[in-house]
Amino acid sequence: MLRVNQFQTPFPLIPSPLVHCITNSVTCETVANSVLYIGGKPIMTEDTRDFSDLYEQVGGVLINIGHLSEEKETAMELAVEEAHKHNVPIVVDNVGVSSSRIRKEVANKLLSFEPTVVKGNVSEMRTLCNLASHGKGVDAAEEDQDSSAMKELEEGLLALAKIHLNTCFLATGPSDLVVYQSQIVLLQNGIEALDQFTGTGDVVGALIAALLGSGVDVLPSVLQAVSYFNLCGEEALEIVQNDAKIASIREETLNQLSLLKQNESWQNGIKGDWL
């Protein structure tokens, strides 16, 4: 089992990092508020004229390809270049990469910049590994989540990790698979309802970027961001007491982003194993 006492305690985020998010316009407000709820400071600009000055201040960056355009692709590349120039950690979220050739090309281009963390759902990460994927649009497929498919994905991510030595890979699903160098972790918190409203993956990416921006190491940032959000969902379901009330669970999950961190022992709820 995971030993939670090995982790740095991430909350409250001190110093409060400025997190630059180029993200899905559908979820932009949710992402910005989520960073605020955990003690970070979001900035959502896509105007490349901002970047040279902005990156003197930025602590972490989230690049989300969910709402793609040629202009946004250019902004993403310039943001990554500025981040490298200023040693700012980068999180890339490969939203919808299974749905089109263009998205996969963009994902591979961003991966070539050696980002700190690359994430996506299990179907999206299978696409990144050049494995067969049954994902539709931005959603993962059940066929990609059984034990044999997850083992195949684990091997694919390990192969990528041998090429991209400083990149941590995260595949989200009913269980969340984390591969960093030769380390493999399977996280097991969360509720089904988190897969039934938009923006959950975007929020997790922003939480990772905020933790990285506050100085937390790479693997603990990923493990804690994923687990924290999933535990917020578990707390939300306990309060709502009805897994069919998706909108209520969404609202309460976001509430818990600012509430759960007040419990100093929240990390004791993390479930997972080193593989």
Side-chain angles (χ1 to χ4, degrees), residues 1-2 176 178 184-188 270-275:
M1 295 294 291
L2 292 176
D176 302 295
V178 182
I184 308 168
V185 181
L186 195 65
L187 296 170
Q188 295 166 330
I270 296 176
K271 298 174 185 176
D273 291 286
W274 299 96
L275 301 183

Side-chain angles (χ1 to χ4, degrees), residues 61-209:
V61 59
L62 169 65
I63 304 293
N64 181 315
I65 71 170
H67 193 181
L68 194 59
S69 67
E70 290 184 50
E71 294 79 9
K72 186 169 279 189
E73 180 183 352
T74 298
M76 291 173 179
E77 291 180 17
L78 289 174
V80 169
E81 289 175 6
E82 288 293 335
H84 273 303
K85 193 182 303 181
H86 293 89
N87 295 313
V88 173
I90 303 159
V91 178
V92 172
D93 194 344
N94 289 316
V95 176
V97 72
S98 304
S99 66
S100 76
R101 174 183 54 81
I102 291 297
R103 286 174 186 263
K104 186 174 180 183
E105 289 176 2
V106 171
N108 284 330
K109 187 183 297 184
L110 291 173
L111 180 58
S112 72
F113 285 100
E114 305 297 326
T116 315
V117 178
V118 172
K119 68 175 292 292
N121 64 41
V122 291
S123 294
E124 290 162 347
M125 296 306 282
R126 287 181 66 85
T127 296
L128 193 69
C129 294
N130 296 316
L131 298 171
S133 171
H134 299 86
K136 294 181 179 179
V138 300
D139 295 322
E142 288 187 14
E143 300 95 314
D144 295 335
Q145 299 173 18
D146 63 29
S147 57
S148 61
M150 289 298 289
K151 183 62 179 177
E152 187 178 40
L153 177 57
E154 176 188 322
E155 293 171 355
L157 291 177
L158 275 172
L160 275 183
K162 289 179 180 178
I163 300 169
H164 305 279
L165 299 177
N166 296 312
T167 299
C168 183
F169 295 91
L170 165 63
T172 59
S175 296
D176 302 295
L177 179 63
V178 182
V179 176
Y180 182 48
Q181 298 170 347
S182 61
Q183 301 174 90
I184 308 168
V185 181
L186 195 65
L187 296 170
Q188 295 166 330
N189 289 102
I191 58 172
E192 283 189 28
L194 293 179
D195 196 39
Q196 297 175 34
F197 57 85
T198 190
T200 53
D202 311 43
V203 170
V204 169
L207 299 187
I208 295 170

